[in-house]
Amino acid sequence: AETKEATYKLKSRLGAGGMLETVAYGQKAKPCALAAPVAAQLGGFLTQINSYDQAFMNMDMNMTKTLEERTAEMSARTASLSMENGKWKMENGADVKIAYSPQFNNGINTNGKGLWTRPYVTFERVNLSGGPKVGSIGYGNFFGGDADLKQLRNGWSRQFSAYIGYNGSTQDYDRQSIDQNGGTIGVTEVWYKNNFFTGLTANVSGNSAMAQTDLGHENFPMIMAGVASKTGYNWELKNGKFVIQPSLLLSYSFVHTFAHNNGLGHKVSSSPLHAIQVAPGVKFIANLPKGWQPYLGINMRWNIMDKTHFSLPDVSIPDMSVKPYVEYGIGLQRKWGERFTGFGQAMVRNGGRNGVMLSFGFKWAIGK
């Protein structure tokens, strides 16, 4: 027999002398006891992973352009140019070779100072190693601002950005449900040299989870933080009409779920989650007329040291982690007018995560 109140499965048996005994059945936690570790993995760890992708999206948008276009943008920003007999001239009268683009030929640099927004939504099923299969819907929006692109020595340039984000999600498994809401604040610094690019981001997040389980209500806060780097290179073909872009994203995430009581008043304790993700990928980009830039992306993601550790009185909850997964999808980027750049993207995930993520973004260039 199993008790409804127990946080782990029990069974009754006849012991020595014919006495009835009730013992833990392998100390296996029931689904109602798994709300906190499920929330930590999906609303904590996977929210952090998404924040790194959002932080590097401006760098990704910039590196869909050809080297010629990026070089011309920088030339237009760092030199005082004027038009003479149909040619761009510097102050000293020297000719400047600049391919036509309304963004920088009107004195506006779409990779300089700017404001941006990026909403997203995910629909997926996560097969937690050591845990249940969880249906999850995630949603949110990131807002940020970019400082001016600065030229450095030896052909390098860098740019600083800051961002905030809202993150929300719901999880359902074995008739249990969790709702989560939180926010993220972070900074990013990126560096460019010709077709090479690299970036570094750091952020901190807070999250509040409200679980409805067979034991009743369970409310608990979480704090997350992390740092990530992304590095890549553009291989241009046919004068930049086609680009092959390999990249590598490395991240470290910290997730701490504060001790709290479950619906029975039992204390749920945990140790912080320390997770490392390694994500190599490749993107195939086409630069078409009139500013259209379609692309195809493929990434493989491995999680290391990513198991949660939770416990209840007299029982240990199984350690859980997200299995490796692959993601692939398509996107389309385009410039509108003098100041706006936008994109839409759909990524499909298979493996430890199964589902789709839809994201959109717009950047508004400011200044000249």
Side-chain angles (χ1 to χ4, degrees), residues 142-159:
F142 276 71
F143 307 88
D146 302 330
D148 212 356
L149 188 68
K150 301 294 185 181
Q151 270 197 316
L152 306 176
R153 296 181 179 180
N154 301 318
W156 287 91
S157 61
R158 68 174 179 84
Q159 188 172 38

Side-chain angles (χ1 to χ4, degrees), residues 93-279:
D95 291 341
V96 179
K97 180 182 178 182
I98 298 180
Y100 175 76
S101 171
Q103 279 70 36
F104 53 81
N105 282 352
N106 284 282
I108 298 171
N109 173 34
T110 57
N111 192 43
K113 294 180 181 179
L115 301 174
W116 49 265
T117 180
R118 285 195 283 273
Y120 69 90
V121 61
T122 64
F123 306 91
E124 60 187 337
R125 192 163 189 82
V126 182
N127 303 320
L128 288 173
S129 177
K133 294 181 179 180
V134 184
S136 179
I137 299 176
Y139 45 89
N141 198 356
F142 276 71
F143 307 88
D146 302 330
D148 212 356
L149 188 68
K150 301 294 185 181
Q151 270 197 316
L152 306 176
R153 296 181 179 180
N154 301 318
W156 287 91
S157 61
R158 68 174 179 84
Q159 188 172 38
F160 173 83
S161 303
Y163 56 91
I164 59 174
Y166 161 72
N167 311 295
S169 65
T170 62
Q171 290 87 41
D172 295 283
Y173 68 97
D174 298 331
R175 302 182 305 278
Q176 321 298 312
S177 64
I178 309 168
D179 292 307
Q180 303 191 61
N181 290 279
T184 301
I185 183 170
V187 294
T188 303
E189 187 90 10
V190 299
W191 295 266
Y192 304 101
K193 183 175 182 180
N194 297 327
N195 280 328
F196 175 83
F197 61 94
T198 187
L200 184 67
T201 189
N203 62 39
V204 62
S205 305
N207 208 6
S208 175
M210 296 166 286
Q212 178 63 48
T213 73
D214 291 341
L215 303 178
H217 293 282
E218 188 172 337
N219 300 321
F220 48 93
M222 290 186 290
I223 186 170
M224 299 90 75
V227 60
S229 69
K230 184 173 184 178
T231 301
Y233 188 85
N234 280 11
W235 297 96
E236 294 191 357
L237 305 174
K238 295 186 178 296
N239 296 320
K241 290 183 178 180
F242 300 98
V243 177
I244 301 175
Q245 184 189 95
S247 64
L248 177 64
L249 192 154
L250 302 173
S251 65
Y252 163 76
S253 299
F254 168 89
V255 180
H256 178 61
T257 304
F258 291 93
H260 60 281
N261 292 333
N262 63 13
L264 292 178
H266 296 163
K267 184 178 181 180
V268 181
S269 302
S270 69
S271 57
L273 166 65
H274 302 275
I276 295 174
Q277 186 177 89
V278 180

Side-chain angles (χ1 to χ4, degrees), residues 54-69:
Q54 298 293 334
F56 292 130
M57 189 62 71
N58 274 8
M59 181 173 69
D60 293 340
M61 292 174 69
N62 184 45
M63 291 307 293
T64 60
K65 304 171 187 175
T66 65
L67 176 60
E68 181 182 16
E69 185 174 355

